[in-house]
Every structure is written in structure tokens, then in C-alpha cells.
Amino acid sequence: MPLALDPAAQDLLFREARTANAFTDEPVPEDLIEAVYDLVKYGPTSMNQQPLRIVLVRSVEARTRLVPHLSEGNRKKTAGAPLVAILAADNEFHEELPSQFPHLPGARNLFAERAIREESARLNALLQVGYFIIGVRAAGLAAGPMTGFDAGGVEKEFFADGDHSVLVVVNIGKPGENAWFARSPRLAYDQVVSTV
Amino acid sequence: MPLALDPAAQDLLFREARTANAFTDEPVPEDLIEAVYDLVKYGPTSMNQQPLRIVLVRSVEARTRLVPHLSEGNRKKTAGAPLVAILAADNEFHEELPSQFPHLPGARNLFAERAIREESARLNALLQVGYFIIGVRAAGLAAGPMTGFDAGGVEKEFFADGDHSVLVVVNIGKPGENAWFARSPRLAYDQVVSTV
């Protein structure tokens, strides 16, 4: 059964898009990341929480601080990417709710407990990480998302306030030579979806 | 700066797509959900873990078992949606790694500890929830994702094996009358993204 989304867009975002492990030197302009954000910011979050925060690692100095916290197999990929984004959840997102969810004036107070808002921040920021990866592909770029790193170490280096949880680090750029492995299989519909 | 994705697709997936709270009676065919899955299954997960599992709630009997576990404000929306999907993480996803990530034969053993694989299942399944919401929109349908429910109650009703964590419940269909509130604001680029 055909989808409403045209097949070329399906290919760009999902079918032909691949996780890149090697990149060309072509720089990724800040304006393009801003265009990605201005699209994916519309992805839904619970009560419009929008807890995702993004640190773009551009300077050589910042790259040098990041790489040692990655697992060994990821260091070379990140060292060679033109742009690296650290994606984190802001555990103080509730401070924005009075402006971001104005039709429920008491929304901020539902998250008075830190443990409750940490859980909600993680859940909703991870949905936003999914939207962001799609957005990078929408820009015609390849994303190389990674979860192999010492989150505590990255938090200490890049979020000194203690109020952020680092979730995923994404290498971003144009795919280089031998950028990916052969496509791995996917679970069949019947292995994933059941009807009751 | 323009994205590679054409503007109509941007509108369909993000800019004009809205979280629906009311739906028409028009049924959602199983084939269409299969087409959604066959697209979004290509979204990336760490080591191709693919922990997302989906239960489509179609029968009146199953709907009756689900609704009482939702927070009060969500019950009417779900009762009136033509299709409801329970999205969960499979905490035993590692059993599929020998077939799904064949180029690292020891991958399964990295997840021998339940706590480690629960954390990884949650993280990666939430990325897949993000892809699934985009996929529902790609089908020309509206999604109404909800996190307000008693997860333990839903797990007991729908995942008796004790091996799944329910993450998000999504109402799916064509938007009905007064399907949504006015669009809430979004955080500005400078509030979310910084460069180092």
C-alpha cells in the first residue's frame, strides 16, 4: 500500500540513507544545521517539553576534549568527521514550560521532582534525537550516530552545570570512501508487530 | 539554507503535521501500517538492535483492556481513535543479534546483563518511536503520541512475559473535527544549539 510521502523522499530519509563511518572534508555550514533544527523542532514531545540540547563540536580544541571519552572503535570516525553534534537532555527543561506550554499554566510544577523530570527529559529528548537524525538526512548529509562513549566524562567536559544527560553523539558530513558496511538485515514485520 | 528534502515532504512530516486528539471513523488498514514499518525499519539503532515492538490494538475487547490504564485526559482520545499502537522495548532483543548483526559474532554476549540491555533497549526503541511517528505521518495519517499512562499496568495486560517496557502509546487515524490545539511555540535555535 503506497505512502503519501513520495518515493524519492522515502529513499533520502530511510531506504538509501546509511550510517556513515567515514566522511569527506567538505565543511557543514552552520546555516544548514539551523535549517535542520528549524524543521525538526516541530516533532512532537510530551507537553511540548523539547528537552533536546545540541552542542556542535567544531574547534580543534573541543574535538580534542571529546575524542578521549569515546569508545576506541568510535574515535577515528569522530576525528575524521567535519562536524560532530553532542545530543543531550536538559534536565531543567521544565523552566521553559510557562512559555512553551502556556495552555496549562501549572505544567512546570508537575516536574518539581528531579527524578521525574530526568526520566521525562530522557524519553522526550530521545524522540527528538530520532527526529534530528532524520533531519540531518533531509539536509542531504549523512549521520553517524554513536552510543559508545563515557557519558559522565562527556557531561563533565561539555555540560559543567550538572543538569544535562548526554544521550547520543552524531558524526555529520558527506560520506567518504568506504563510508559504510553492507546493509545489515532488518526484522520482519511479523517479528515486530502483532495485532490484538 | 535549503534542505535536500522537498518542501512538500517537509510540510507533511514536520511543518504541517500535528498531534491529533480527535479522529474520523475511517479505518486504518493493516497494509498501510506494514508499509510504514517497511520504511521506518531502516532507521538506525546501535548495533542494529531494533528493540522496538508494536502491538496494534484493534478489537473492542483489547481497547477495553487498554483504556483504564491511561491517564484520564487521554482516555477519550484513545477510545475514539480507529487504531492504537502500543510501542514497547523488547528487553530480550539481544537474542536477535546473531542474525541481525552478523559481522560481530560476539554481539549477543555484550548484553548478558539484564540491566545493561534494558537501558540499551529503552534508548534505541525510543529512537525508533521517533522514526515510527514520522512514518505514520509519511502515510498521510495523524499520530497522537501519549506518555500519560500506567506503564506497569499496560505491560501486565499486553506483555505477560515480563520482558517488555512500554514507552509510548500512539493514537492513529485521520484527524477529526477540532483535532488539535493552536500550535505551541518552539524554542529558538540559540536556546537549543551552541557551538564550541
Side-chain angles (χ1 to χ4, degrees):
Chain A
M1 192 164 239
L3 300 176
L5 185 70
D6 77 86
Q10 295 179 34
D11 287 343
L12 178 70
L13 302 182
F14 288 102
R15 254 194 310 264
E16 291 181 2
R18 302 293 309 282
T19 289
N21 300 311
F23 298 88
T24 69
D25 291 339
E26 191 179 327
V28 177
E30 180 91 13
D31 286 0
L32 193 52
I33 298 299
E34 189 161 351
V36 168
Y37 177 72
D38 278 335
L39 183 66
V40 301
K41 70 182 179 187
Y42 291 114
T45 55
S46 317
M47 304 177 84
N48 202 28
Q49 289 173 26
Q50 310 169 70
L52 181 68
R53 299 295 178 267
I54 301 172
V55 175
L56 299 176
V57 178
R58 283 201 182 274
S59 69
V60 172
E61 175 272 334
R63 186 82 58 119
T64 308
R65 288 193 289 130
L66 174 62
V67 167
H69 299 289
L70 304 178
S71 58
E72 264 194 63
N74 285 333
R75 288 179 193 167
K76 200 177 146 196
K77 304 180 205 178
T78 292
L83 182 63
V84 182
I86 303 172
L87 306 186
D90 180 356
N91 294 314
E92 300 296 307
F93 69 86
H94 67 312
E95 299 293 356
E96 311 297 337
L97 290 179
S99 71
Q100 299 301 305
F101 202 61
H103 73 266
L104 185 62
R108 185 189 173 286
N109 304 329
L110 299 174
F111 299 95
E113 264 182 61
R114 171 81 175 216
I116 286 176
R117 60 182 193 263
E118 276 192 18
E119 191 182 329
S120 196
R122 174 173 292 263
L123 186 154
N124 284 288
L126 283 165
L127 300 185
Q128 291 185 287
V129 172
Y131 309 146
F132 181 79
I133 291 169
I134 302 300
V136 168
R137 292 164 164 197
L141 296 166
M146 305 180 298
T147 57
F149 51 81
D150 167 18
V154 179
E155 285 156 16
K156 222 179 237 177
E157 281 291 338
F158 292 94
F159 298 96
D161 63 6
D163 287 333
H164 293 76
S165 302
V166 173
L167 303 171
V168 176
V169 176
V170 187
N171 303 317
I172 301 173
K174 295 276 184 179
E177 270 185 73
N178 300 315
W180 38 68
F181 303 113
R183 166 81 82 184
S184 295
R186 289 297 188 272
L187 295 170
Y189 183 73
D190 292 345
Q191 292 176 284
V192 170
V193 183
S194 57
T195 301
V196 292
Chain B
M1 192 163 239
L3 299 176
L5 185 70
D6 76 87
Q10 296 178 34
D11 287 343
L12 179 70
L13 302 182
F14 288 102
R15 255 194 309 263
E16 291 181 2
R18 301 292 310 282
T19 290
N21 300 311
F23 299 89
T24 70
D25 291 340
E26 191 180 325
V28 177
E30 181 91 12
D31 286 0
L32 193 53
I33 299 299
E34 189 160 351
V36 168
Y37 176 72
D38 279 336
L39 183 66
V40 301
K41 70 183 180 186
Y42 291 115
T45 54
S46 317
M47 303 176 84
N48 203 27
Q49 290 173 27
Q50 308 169 72
L52 181 69
R53 300 294 178 267
I54 301 171
V55 174
L56 299 177
V57 178
R58 283 202 183 272
S59 69
V60 173
E61 176 271 332
R63 187 83 58 117
T64 309
R65 288 193 288 129
L66 174 61
V67 168
H69 300 289
L70 304 178
S71 58
E72 265 194 63
N74 285 333
R75 288 179 193 167
K76 200 178 146 195
K77 304 180 206 177
T78 291
L83 182 64
V84 182
I86 302 172
L87 305 185
D90 180 357
N91 294 315
E92 300 296 307
F93 70 86
H94 66 312
E95 300 294 355
E96 311 297 338
L97 289 179
S99 71
Q100 300 301 304
F101 203 61
H103 73 266
L104 183 62
R108 186 189 173 286
N109 304 329
L110 299 175
F111 299 95
E113 264 182 61
R114 172 81 174 214
I116 286 175
R117 61 183 191 262
E118 275 192 20
E119 192 182 328
S120 195
R122 175 173 290 264
L123 185 154
N124 285 288
L126 283 165
L127 301 184
Q128 291 186 285
V129 172
Y131 309 147
F132 181 79
I133 291 168
I134 301 300
V136 168
R137 292 165 163 196
L141 296 166
M146 304 179 298
T147 57
F149 51 81
D150 167 18
V154 180
E155 286 157 14
K156 222 179 233 176
E157 280 291 339
F158 293 94
F159 299 95
D161 63 5
D163 288 333
H164 293 75
S165 301
V166 172
L167 303 171
V168 176
V169 176
V170 187
N171 302 317
I172 301 173
K174 296 274 186 180
E177 271 184 72
N178 300 316
W180 39 67
F181 304 112
R183 167 82 82 185
S184 294
R186 290 297 189 271
L187 295 170
Y189 184 73
D190 292 346
Q191 293 176 285
V192 171
V193 183
S194 58
T195 301
V196 292

mmCIF file of all heavy atoms in Angstrom, chain B residues 6-30:
data_model
loop_
_atom_site.group_PDB
_atom_site.id
_atom_site.type_symbol
_atom_site.label_atom_id
_atom_site.label_comp_id
_atom_site.label_asym_id
_atom_site.label_seq_id
_atom_site.Cartn_x
_atom_site.Cartn_y
_atom_site.Cartn_z
ATOM 1 N N ASP B 6 12.303 17.812 -0.328
ATOM 2 C CA ASP B 6 11.461 18.826 -0.958
ATOM 3 C C ASP B 6 10.458 19.407 0.059
ATOM 4 O O ASP B 6 10.063 18.734 1.016
ATOM 5 C CB ASP B 6 10.778 18.271 -2.213
ATOM 6 C CG ASP B 6 9.623 17.376 -1.886
ATOM 7 O OD1 ASP B 6 8.499 17.879 -1.706
ATOM 8 O OD2 ASP B 6 9.858 16.162 -1.782
ATOM 9 N N PRO B 7 10.077 20.671 -0.159
ATOM 10 C CA PRO B 7 9.247 21.375 0.833
ATOM 11 C C PRO B 7 7.918 20.691 1.139
ATOM 12 O O PRO B 7 7.451 20.738 2.282
ATOM 13 C CB PRO B 7 9.029 22.749 0.177
ATOM 14 C CG PRO B 7 10.222 22.943 -0.707
ATOM 15 C CD PRO B 7 10.564 21.579 -1.229
ATOM 16 N N ALA B 8 7.309 20.024 0.146
ATOM 17 C CA ALA B 8 6.034 19.338 0.425
ATOM 18 C C ALA B 8 6.243 18.212 1.437
ATOM 19 O O ALA B 8 5.420 17.998 2.330
ATOM 20 C CB ALA B 8 5.442 18.790 -0.872
ATOM 21 N N ALA B 9 7.349 17.495 1.305
ATOM 22 C CA ALA B 9 7.659 16.423 2.259
ATOM 23 C C ALA B 9 7.974 17.003 3.633
ATOM 24 O O ALA B 9 7.587 16.447 4.669
ATOM 25 C CB ALA B 9 8.822 15.587 1.740
ATOM 26 N N GLN B 10 8.669 18.135 3.665
ATOM 27 C CA GLN B 10 8.942 18.804 4.947
ATOM 28 C C GLN B 10 7.640 19.157 5.663
ATOM 29 O O GLN B 10 7.495 18.977 6.877
ATOM 30 C CB GLN B 10 9.752 20.082 4.726
ATOM 31 C CG GLN B 10 11.151 19.850 4.159
ATOM 32 C CD GLN B 10 11.883 21.158 3.915
ATOM 33 O OE1 GLN B 10 11.720 22.132 4.653
ATOM 34 N NE2 GLN B 10 12.697 21.203 2.872
ATOM 35 N N ASP B 11 6.677 19.681 4.868
ATOM 36 C CA ASP B 11 5.380 20.039 5.449
ATOM 37 C C ASP B 11 4.658 18.801 5.983
ATOM 38 O O ASP B 11 4.127 18.805 7.092
ATOM 39 C CB ASP B 11 4.492 20.699 4.386
ATOM 40 C CG ASP B 11 4.948 22.120 4.063
ATOM 41 O OD1 ASP B 11 5.723 22.697 4.860
ATOM 42 O OD2 ASP B 11 4.533 22.640 3.018
ATOM 43 N N LEU B 12 4.640 17.741 5.151
ATOM 44 C CA LEU B 12 3.918 16.520 5.522
ATOM 45 C C LEU B 12 4.450 15.917 6.823
ATOM 46 O O LEU B 12 3.688 15.484 7.684
ATOM 47 C CB LEU B 12 4.052 15.486 4.385
ATOM 48 C CG LEU B 12 3.362 14.140 4.626
ATOM 49 C CD1 LEU B 12 1.843 14.284 4.580
ATOM 50 C CD2 LEU B 12 3.832 13.091 3.589
ATOM 51 N N LEU B 13 5.774 15.904 6.962
ATOM 52 C CA LEU B 13 6.373 15.197 8.095
ATOM 53 C C LEU B 13 6.525 16.068 9.335
ATOM 54 O O LEU B 13 6.484 15.554 10.456
ATOM 55 C CB LEU B 13 7.746 14.648 7.705
ATOM 56 C CG LEU B 13 7.774 13.687 6.511
ATOM 57 C CD1 LEU B 13 9.187 13.191 6.270
ATOM 58 C CD2 LEU B 13 6.822 12.519 6.727
ATOM 59 N N PHE B 14 6.740 17.365 9.133
ATOM 60 C CA PHE B 14 7.069 18.212 10.284
ATOM 61 C C PHE B 14 6.231 19.486 10.385
ATOM 62 O O PHE B 14 5.614 19.740 11.411
ATOM 63 C CB PHE B 14 8.562 18.599 10.254
ATOM 64 C CG PHE B 14 9.486 17.465 10.587
ATOM 65 C CD1 PHE B 14 10.175 16.799 9.580
ATOM 66 C CD2 PHE B 14 9.664 17.053 11.894
ATOM 67 C CE1 PHE B 14 11.027 15.732 9.876
ATOM 68 C CE2 PHE B 14 10.511 15.998 12.208
ATOM 69 C CZ PHE B 14 11.193 15.343 11.188
ATOM 70 N N ARG B 15 6.255 20.321 9.328
ATOM 71 C CA ARG B 15 5.747 21.677 9.496
ATOM 72 C C ARG B 15 4.242 21.740 9.626
ATOM 73 O O ARG B 15 3.710 22.505 10.417
ATOM 74 C CB ARG B 15 6.227 22.574 8.358
ATOM 75 C CG ARG B 15 7.331 23.527 8.805
ATOM 76 C CD ARG B 15 7.561 24.626 7.803
ATOM 77 N NE ARG B 15 7.733 24.080 6.480
ATOM 78 C CZ ARG B 15 8.912 23.848 5.906
ATOM 79 N NH1 ARG B 15 10.028 24.151 6.537
ATOM 80 N NH2 ARG B 15 8.978 23.323 4.704
ATOM 81 N N GLU B 16 3.547 20.925 8.822
ATOM 82 C CA GLU B 16 2.082 20.943 8.912
ATOM 83 C C GLU B 16 1.525 19.776 9.711
ATOM 84 O O GLU B 16 0.338 19.739 10.016
ATOM 85 C CB GLU B 16 1.475 20.985 7.501
ATOM 86 C CG GLU B 16 1.755 22.335 6.852
ATOM 87 C CD GLU B 16 1.179 22.491 5.457
ATOM 88 O OE1 GLU B 16 0.507 21.565 4.966
ATOM 89 O OE2 GLU B 16 1.412 23.560 4.859
ATOM 90 N N ALA B 17 2.359 18.807 10.035
ATOM 91 C CA ALA B 17 1.893 17.656 10.831
ATOM 92 C C ALA B 17 1.630 18.115 12.260
ATOM 93 O O ALA B 17 2.364 18.919 12.807
ATOM 94 C CB ALA B 17 2.948 16.559 10.818
ATOM 95 N N ARG B 18 0.569 17.590 12.836
ATOM 96 C CA ARG B 18 0.198 17.999 14.194
ATOM 97 C C ARG B 18 -0.216 16.769 14.987
ATOM 98 O O ARG B 18 -0.703 15.782 14.426
ATOM 99 C CB ARG B 18 -0.992 18.986 14.135
ATOM 100 C CG ARG B 18 -0.722 20.265 13.325
ATOM 101 C CD ARG B 18 0.312 21.148 14.006
ATOM 102 N NE ARG B 18 -0.043 21.338 15.403
ATOM 103 C CZ ARG B 18 -0.987 22.183 15.833
ATOM 104 N NH1 ARG B 18 -1.630 22.955 14.977
ATOM 105 N NH2 ARG B 18 -1.247 22.281 17.118
ATOM 106 N N THR B 19 -0.048 16.837 16.297
ATOM 107 C CA THR B 19 -0.521 15.787 17.184
ATOM 108 C C THR B 19 -2.038 15.847 17.256
ATOM 109 O O THR B 19 -2.590 16.859 17.690
ATOM 110 C CB THR B 19 0.091 15.973 18.581
ATOM 111 O OG1 THR B 19 1.488 15.670 18.495
ATOM 112 C CG2 THR B 19 -0.565 15.070 19.597
ATOM 113 N N ALA B 20 -2.700 14.779 16.797
ATOM 114 C CA ALA B 20 -4.168 14.786 16.746
ATOM 115 C C ALA B 20 -4.755 14.237 18.046
ATOM 116 O O ALA B 20 -4.265 13.252 18.604
ATOM 117 C CB ALA B 20 -4.649 13.949 15.564
ATOM 118 N N ASN B 21 -5.807 14.897 18.498
ATOM 119 C CA ASN B 21 -6.527 14.465 19.705
ATOM 120 C C ASN B 21 -7.913 13.915 19.380
ATOM 121 O O ASN B 21 -8.601 13.418 20.260
ATOM 122 C CB ASN B 21 -6.656 15.649 20.668
ATOM 123 C CG ASN B 21 -5.290 16.183 21.075
ATOM 124 O OD1 ASN B 21 -4.425 15.418 21.467
ATOM 125 N ND2 ASN B 21 -5.095 17.478 20.948
ATOM 126 N N ALA B 22 -8.332 14.019 18.121
ATOM 127 C CA ALA B 22 -9.648 13.524 17.690
ATOM 128 C C ALA B 22 -9.504 13.003 16.269
ATOM 129 O O ALA B 22 -8.711 13.540 15.480
ATOM 130 C CB ALA B 22 -10.687 14.643 17.740
ATOM 131 N N PHE B 23 -10.266 11.957 15.946
ATOM 132 C CA PHE B 23 -10.086 11.254 14.671
ATOM 133 C C PHE B 23 -11.434 10.990 14.016
ATOM 134 O O PHE B 23 -12.465 10.911 14.688
ATOM 135 C CB PHE B 23 -9.375 9.913 14.917
ATOM 136 C CG PHE B 23 -8.010 10.080 15.507
ATOM 137 C CD1 PHE B 23 -7.827 10.138 16.889
ATOM 138 C CD2 PHE B 23 -6.900 10.223 14.690
ATOM 139 C CE1 PHE B 23 -6.572 10.328 17.445
ATOM 140 C CE2 PHE B 23 -5.636 10.414 15.231
ATOM 141 C CZ PHE B 23 -5.474 10.465 16.614
ATOM 142 N N THR B 24 -11.409 10.804 12.687
ATOM 143 C CA THR B 24 -12.607 10.343 11.988
ATOM 144 C C THR B 24 -12.730 8.825 12.190
ATOM 145 O O THR B 24 -11.833 8.180 12.740
ATOM 146 C CB THR B 24 -12.508 10.630 10.475
ATOM 147 O OG1 THR B 24 -11.509 9.769 9.916
ATOM 148 C CG2 THR B 24 -12.139 12.080 10.205
ATOM 149 N N ASP B 25 -13.850 8.256 11.691
ATOM 150 C CA ASP B 25 -14.060 6.805 11.821
ATOM 151 C C ASP B 25 -13.303 5.998 10.769
ATOM 152 O O ASP B 25 -13.312 4.769 10.814
ATOM 153 C CB ASP B 25 -15.560 6.477 11.642
ATOM 154 C CG ASP B 25 -16.375 7.008 12.814
ATOM 155 O OD1 ASP B 25 -15.784 7.261 13.888
ATOM 156 O OD2 ASP B 25 -17.602 7.186 12.636
ATOM 157 N N GLU B 26 -12.711 6.677 9.795
ATOM 158 C CA GLU B 26 -12.075 5.966 8.685
ATOM 159 C C GLU B 26 -11.037 4.960 9.199
ATOM 160 O O GLU B 26 -10.097 5.337 9.903
ATOM 161 C CB GLU B 26 -11.396 7.003 7.762
ATOM 162 C CG GLU B 26 -10.930 6.400 6.453
ATOM 163 C CD GLU B 26 -10.262 7.451 5.547
ATOM 164 O OE1 GLU B 26 -10.691 8.628 5.554
ATOM 165 O OE2 GLU B 26 -9.304 7.077 4.858
ATOM 166 N N PRO B 27 -11.215 3.692 8.847
ATOM 167 C CA PRO B 27 -10.290 2.681 9.377
ATOM 168 C C PRO B 27 -8.874 2.839 8.815
ATOM 169 O O PRO B 27 -8.690 3.394 7.735
ATOM 170 C CB PRO B 27 -10.891 1.341 8.928
ATOM 171 C CG PRO B 27 -12.094 1.645 8.112
ATOM 172 C CD PRO B 27 -12.240 3.120 7.954
ATOM 173 N N VAL B 28 -7.902 2.331 9.563
ATOM 174 C CA VAL B 28 -6.506 2.338 9.127
ATOM 175 C C VAL B 28 -6.151 0.909 8.729
ATOM 176 O O VAL B 28 -6.057 0.028 9.583
ATOM 177 C CB VAL B 28 -5.574 2.823 10.258
ATOM 178 C CG1 VAL B 28 -4.117 2.752 9.822
ATOM 179 C CG2 VAL B 28 -5.941 4.236 10.691
ATOM 180 N N PRO B 29 -5.962 0.662 7.425
ATOM 181 C CA PRO B 29 -5.715 -0.725 7.004
ATOM 182 C C PRO B 29 -4.371 -1.259 7.500
ATOM 183 O O PRO B 29 -3.388 -0.514 7.588
ATOM 184 C CB PRO B 29 -5.727 -0.647 5.469
ATOM 185 C CG PRO B 29 -5.886 0.776 5.096
ATOM 186 C CD PRO B 29 -5.960 1.617 6.317
ATOM 187 N N GLU B 30 -4.373 -2.533 7.798
ATOM 188 C CA GLU B 30 -3.143 -3.193 8.253
ATOM 189 C C GLU B 30 -2.005 -3.027 7.233
ATOM 190 O O GLU B 30 -0.851 -2.826 7.602
ATOM 191 C CB GLU B 30 -3.436 -4.687 8.474
ATOM 192 C CG GLU B 30 -2.264 -5.511 8.976
ATOM 193 C CD GLU B 30 -2.195 -5.588 10.494
ATOM 194 O OE1 GLU B 30 -3.177 -5.207 11.173
ATOM 195 O OE2 GLU B 30 -1.138 -6.010 11.002
#
